[in-house]
């Protein structure tokens, strides 16, 4: 059970002649929230906050984001530190369990990941039935949902399985499914996971090894993938995590719950933005590289065009993940002796946007998705797999939130509404 902080001060709300006191809850980082959970009971009123712009939907100990100061910490540890000292697997453990594993613990967790990396053989045939050209994100979310038919007992009520095993199976199997989906899409035989390889190296090998073209696993590629995965591993109550918490609150099977999160992530306003950024940069390139034209289009209220990879609900400054990814992007391309003209366009676009009053006034900065695609391209990952990469990385975060939610004995998520439709009337 997550113990709720005690209120030490109260807000006073006056509605007509009635005055009520609402507890103000203060988080460990000083965030203040007015607890309105009893408001309707005492006043008959609900609160209105479409799209949850101003609503804290839960208490959480997992991730801290300060959007004004550009801070992101997992379990108190800044991501800047984690990318220097931890691997994705250790970060996943940190998120799910609350502490960084020692060497023995890490070895056991890595071993569990390897032991559960195989896909049930019957599931392999499912890949044959998706239409040609199906988006890998949709294949992935469908396949994860299908896992619930193989492991029906992994839910909040009948946690017959050890959470470590369920976590390891999810993180590991999803990686296998992702690589199989890619191999299937290019008509190559699937490459099975190898027990001797760590998580990220194993994934790259499953993606790129082939019977005629053995893949050389380069340390630089493994390292950069670790960095990207660490930076995407959690981001508190974003859209997909909220989907996971909402669906999970109905005591749904863990795999179906995660599949809901994946569906949410696939949208271009969320995880799908990394693919959309590269598509946008290519469009600008094909159009002669006229960056100004696209800045103007993004500002034009009559156009639906937006600068993809720009803006964020929470960050009103440079996204700390984007800071690291931009730096790593330059470093990685240099190490790989790779020149990508899209990087030049991205930098030009960023520079122009950051000087423009429209973007300045709205605090719009590059987000996590702005530069990540350029690294994925350099790794040889196709564009339609970018959001899948995001999903693989976000799994530990989703699992941590699911675990925290069921551990806290959360009630079913069920918002209210203000009905503005027709009042009672007879059939016409
Ligand atoms: N290009 C142009 N204008 C923008 C952009 C953008 N990328 N983002 C926000 N705005 C404008 C928007 O038009 C609005 O202007 P006005 O006040 O004049 O109506 C103002 O800025 C506030 O935007 P909003 O849509 O109300 O903000 P939001 O918090 O609802 O949406 C967002 C956040 C991330 C969906 C949005 O910034 C966006 O669509 N960005 C592009 C897509 C993107 O990069 N998504 C990835 C987000 S980070 C990773 C993740 O979550 O997975």
């Amino acid at each position: 059970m997550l113990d709720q902080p005690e209120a030490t001060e109260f807000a006073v709300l006056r509605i007509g002649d009635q005055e009520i006191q609402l507890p103000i809850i203060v988080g460990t980082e000083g965030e203040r929230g007015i607890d309105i959970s009893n408001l309707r009971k005492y006043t008959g009123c609900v609160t209105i906050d479409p799209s949850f712009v101003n609503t804290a939907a839960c208490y959480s100990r997992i991730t801290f984001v300060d959007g004004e100061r550009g801070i992101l910490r997992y379990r108190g540890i800044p991501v800047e530190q984690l990318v220097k000292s931890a691997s994705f697997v250790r970060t996943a453990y940190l998120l799910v369990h609350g502490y960084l594993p020692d060497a023995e613990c890490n070895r056991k967790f890595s071993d569990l990941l390897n032991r559960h990396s195989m896909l049930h053989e019957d599931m392999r045939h499912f890949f044959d039935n998706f239409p040609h050209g199906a988006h890998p994100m949709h294949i992935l979310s469908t396949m994860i949902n299908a896992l619930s038919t193989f492991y029906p007992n992994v839910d909040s009520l009948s946690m017959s399985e050890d959470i470590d095993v369920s976590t390891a199976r999810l993180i590991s199997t999803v990686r296998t499914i992702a690589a199989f989906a890619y191999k299937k899409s290019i008509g190559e035989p699937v490459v099975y996971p190898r027990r001797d390889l760590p998580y990220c190296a194993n994934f790259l090998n499953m993606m790129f090894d082939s019977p005629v073209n053995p893949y050389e696993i380069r340390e630089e590629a493994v390292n950069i993938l670790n960095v990207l995965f660490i930076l995407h591993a959690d981001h508190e109550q974003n859209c997909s995590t909220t989907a996971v918490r909402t669906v999970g609150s109905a005591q749904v099977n863990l795999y179906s719950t995660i599949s809901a999160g994946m569906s949410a992530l696939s949208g271009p306003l969320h995880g799908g933005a990394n693919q959309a950024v590269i598509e946008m940069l290519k469009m600008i390139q094909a159009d002669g590289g006229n960056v100004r034209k696209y800045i103007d289009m993004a500002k034009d209220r009559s156009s639906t065009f937006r600068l993809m990879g720009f803006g964020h609900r929470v960050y009103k400054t440079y996204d700390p993940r984007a800071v690291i990814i931009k730096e790593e992007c330059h470093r990685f391309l240099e190490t790989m002796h790779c020149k990508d003209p899209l990087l030049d366009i991205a930098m030009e676009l960023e520079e122009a946007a950051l000087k423009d009053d429209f973007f300045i006034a709205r605090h719009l900065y590059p987000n996590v998705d702005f530069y990540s695609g350029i690294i994925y391209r350099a790794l040889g990952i196709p564009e339609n797999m970018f959001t899948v990469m995001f999903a693989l990385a976000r799994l530990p975060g989703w699992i941590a939130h699911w675990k925290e939610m069921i551990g806290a004995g959360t009630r079913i998520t069920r918002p209210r509404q203000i009905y503005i439709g027709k009042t009672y009337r007879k059939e016409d």
Side-chain angles (χ1 to χ4, degrees):
M1 202 58 126
L2 274 188
D3 31 312
Q4 180 180 319
E6 287 277 323
T8 50
E9 50 174 330
F10 293 83
V12 179
L13 178 71
R14 192 172 300 117
I15 305 174
D17 293 339
Q18 192 186 7
E19 200 174 275
I20 64 157
Q21 291 206 326
L22 298 167
I24 298 180
I25 308 292
V26 184
T28 48
E29 291 283 351
E31 283 169 309
R32 287 146 64 86
I34 301 173
D35 179 353
I36 49 95
S37 49
N38 283 319
L39 185 67
R40 189 168 182 278
K41 190 160 131 195
Y42 296 123
T43 67
C45 290
V46 295
T47 52
I48 311 170
D49 182 23
S51 309
F52 299 149
V53 175
N54 202 56
T55 294
C58 63
Y59 295 97
S60 182
R61 294 183 203 283
I62 302 168
T63 290
F64 173 66
V65 177
D66 183 327
E68 273 73 35
R69 291 188 293 156
I71 293 174
L72 171 59
R73 298 184 201 133
Y74 301 155
R75 304 284 189 179
I77 307 177
V79 287
E80 290 80 1
Q81 278 179 34
L82 289 168
V83 295
K84 286 200 185 108
S85 61
S87 64
F88 172 63
V89 167
R90 290 189 78 222
T91 305
Y93 195 95
L94 168 74
L95 284 165
V96 175
H97 294 279
Y99 57 93
L100 278 169
D102 60 19
E104 176 57 12
C105 211
N106 194 46
R107 192 195 54 73
K108 277 193 187 150
F109 187 52
S110 301
D111 193 50
L112 260 188
L113 285 171
N114 273 339
R115 244 189 291 150
H116 293 280
S117 59
M118 291 293 288
L119 193 58
H120 196 293
E121 208 41 32
D122 289 350
M123 278 190 81
R124 224 160 54 76
H125 306 298
F126 292 3
F127 287 104
D128 299 333
N129 297 312
F130 290 104
H132 181 72
H135 197 287
M137 260 314 264
H138 298 141
I139 298 182
L140 192 64
S141 57
T142 309
M143 294 294 276
I144 307 304
N145 206 3
L147 275 175
S148 63
T149 62
F150 291 86
Y151 307 103
N153 293 332
V154 190
D155 57 42
S156 54
L157 280 188
S158 50
M159 276 300 294
S160 54
E161 288 232 14
D162 186 327
I163 183 80
D164 274 352
V165 175
S166 306
T167 302
R169 188 187 296 119
L170 244 173
I171 294 178
S172 208
T173 322
V174 173
R175 174 193 56 179
T176 307
I177 294 173
F180 279 18
Y182 171 62
K183 284 295 192 189
K184 183 81 197 142
S185 74
I186 56 169
E188 279 191 10
V190 299
V191 175
Y192 284 95
R194 271 172 42 187
R195 228 193 142 111
D196 60 317
L197 291 178
Y199 185 89
C200 286
N202 220 337
F203 175 70
L204 288 170
N205 191 61
M206 280 192 271
M207 284 284 290
F208 300 121
D209 193 40
S210 93
V212 288
N213 241 337
Y215 178 66
E216 185 205 340
I217 305 168
R218 290 189 61 163
E219 202 186 336
E220 300 90 333
V222 173
N223 290 345
I224 194 80
L225 201 56
N226 265 299
V227 167
L228 285 175
F229 277 16
I230 289 171
L231 292 174
H232 285 82
D234 191 40
H235 210 246
E236 49 116 305
Q237 311 308 319
N238 56 85
C239 180
S240 56
T241 302
T242 300
V244 165
R245 279 188 177 259
T246 302
V247 173
S249 76
Q251 295 177 352
V252 170
N253 175 285
L254 173 62
Y255 299 102
S256 300
T257 303
I258 297 293
S259 162
M262 289 211 174
S263 300
L265 188 75
S266 69
L269 296 188
H270 192 7
N274 56 11
Q275 178 179 343
V277 168
I278 295 295
E279 286 164 356
M280 172 186 76
L281 295 175
K282 280 183 164 173
M283 187 163 75
I284 298 174
Q285 185 187 37
D287 199 10
N290 186 351
V291 160
R292 190 70 248 166
K293 175 176 163 189
Y294 288 85
I295 296 276
D296 290 341
M297 247 164 76
K299 290 159 57 177
D300 181 357
R301 300 310 43 206
S302 64
S303 158
T304 55
F305 177 79
R306 284 188 165 204
L307 270 200
M308 299 315 284
F310 250 78
H312 198 275
R313 171 65 61 80
V314 179
Y315 291 120
K316 299 303 162 204
T317 182
Y318 218 111
D319 181 333
R321 302 167 297 178
V323 175
I324 302 173
I325 293 175
K326 184 179 174 185
E327 244 178 68
E328 292 290 336
C329 181
H330 284 288
R331 205 195 328 263
F332 184 61
L333 262 58
E334 223 176 279
T335 316
M336 303 301 279
H337 306 294
C338 166
K339 178 119 188 60
D340 188 342
L342 296 191
L343 177 58
D344 299 329
I345 297 176
M347 288 194 308
E348 215 186 310
L349 200 58
E350 179 195 336
E351 200 186 330
L354 294 184
K355 280 188 194 144
D356 192 290
D357 285 346
F358 176 94
F359 291 86
I360 295 170
R362 289 167 181 76
H363 307 287
L364 302 172
Y365 292 85
N367 60 46
V368 67
D369 295 313
F370 197 65
Y371 286 104
S372 61
I374 296 175
I375 302 182
Y376 288 137
R377 266 161 69 87
L379 281 168
I381 290 164
E383 277 156 47
N384 65 0
M385 285 291 288
F386 288 4
T387 314
V388 169
M389 305 299 285
F390 194 152
L392 295 184
R394 186 51 61 86
L395 271 168
W398 288 331
I399 296 167
H401 282 274
W402 179 80
K403 187 177 163 229
E404 182 177 75
M405 183 214 37
I406 59 166
T410 307
R411 293 165 75 187
I412 190 165
T413 300
R414 205 307 187 184
R416 295 269 181 169
Q417 64 166 15
I418 299 291
Y419 177 71
I420 55 168
K422 289 193 162 48
T423 53
Y424 175 79
R425 60 183 177 140
K426 289 199 167 148
E427 278 177 42
D428 291 332

